[in-house]
Amino acid sequence: MLENWLDFQRATLALKCAGLDDRRLRHAAVEPSSMTILGLVRHMAEVERNWFQRVFTGQDIPQLFGEGGDGGFVLDPDQGIEDALAVWRAEIEVGRERTAGASLDASGTLSEEGAAFMGDPTVSLRWILIHMIEEYARHNGHADLLRERIDGGRGGWGGRRCNCRG
């Protein structure tokens, strides 16, 4: 169930990009923020890499978009949406490979900074999956606002903001 919800959130981000050209995906439409939908895709590629490769499997690998600490949000003029989506999808696949068959109770190790924040150096795969669902849901909400300001739509799922019945 957790993997399915995570895949739903991943698909939602892809839908937020659908039908927009590279120029519009670079548009920071909610001032004063510089956040863009393209930046969100890049950021989520970095997040996928961090949680499934660095934390869960303990790999010492570089950040995708440099060590500047921007989390992928700062855009590269030479990388458009097709490149960003390809990197993001590749990171998703690597994460799936790293977690395939793993127990939800299997754990990964946080960085020293992360452990200090969390109060524990380890997190379970269950915790990571729940966190990833939350991370995507939060950023998909950002993408909703960006998309609405860019073209009046919300991208995907029939143009509805949500299917809540509240």
Side-chain angles (χ1 to χ4, degrees):
M1 181 178 4
L2 293 174
E3 289 171 344
N4 287 336
W5 274 111
L6 180 53
D7 283 341
F8 173 81
Q9 293 296 335
R10 288 168 171 157
T12 299
L13 181 58
L15 283 170
K16 300 302 171 188
C17 300
L20 294 177
D21 61 25
D22 193 67
R23 180 186 60 78
R24 294 172 100 186
L25 288 164
R26 291 174 180 275
H27 187 65
V30 184
E31 294 178 3
S33 175
S34 61
M35 185 181 293
T36 65
I37 296 176
L38 177 57
L40 287 170
V41 172
R42 289 168 48 96
H43 174 67
M44 291 312 298
E46 196 70 72
V47 169
E48 291 273 354
R49 175 174 276 219
N50 182 61
W51 286 103
F52 293 117
Q53 294 182 65
R54 287 191 196 100
V55 174
F56 188 66
T57 60
Q59 293 179 276
D60 183 17
I61 55 175
Q63 292 184 3
L64 288 166
F65 306 110
E67 299 296 325
D70 70 29
F73 284 113
V74 175
L75 302 182
D76 178 343
D78 297 326
Q79 185 189 47
I81 189 60
E82 293 307 318
D83 291 335
L85 286 171
V87 169
W88 174 62
R89 288 180 177 129
E91 291 301 318
I92 289 170
E93 287 309 310
V94 171
R96 285 185 175 132
E97 291 169 11
R98 300 291 189 268
T99 60
S103 166
L104 290 175
D105 294 322
S107 63
T109 304
L110 294 167
S111 67
E112 218 173 282
E113 180 184 351
F117 179 77
M118 295 291 293
D120 192 321
T122 61
V123 288
S124 68
L125 178 57
R126 177 182 290 104
W127 187 97
I128 292 170
L129 292 171
I130 292 169
H131 173 69
M132 290 295 292
I133 293 165
E134 175 272 330
E135 179 93 5
Y136 270 100
R138 179 170 11 107
H139 289 314
N140 284 337
H142 296 138
D144 277 338
L145 295 172
L146 290 164
R147 182 68 191 246
E148 193 167 3
R149 290 283 292 164
I150 290 168
D151 70 353
R154 293 183 190 95
W157 310 128
R160 292 174 287 156
R161 186 169 278 131
C162 71
N163 61 0
C164 308
R165 307 239 193 288

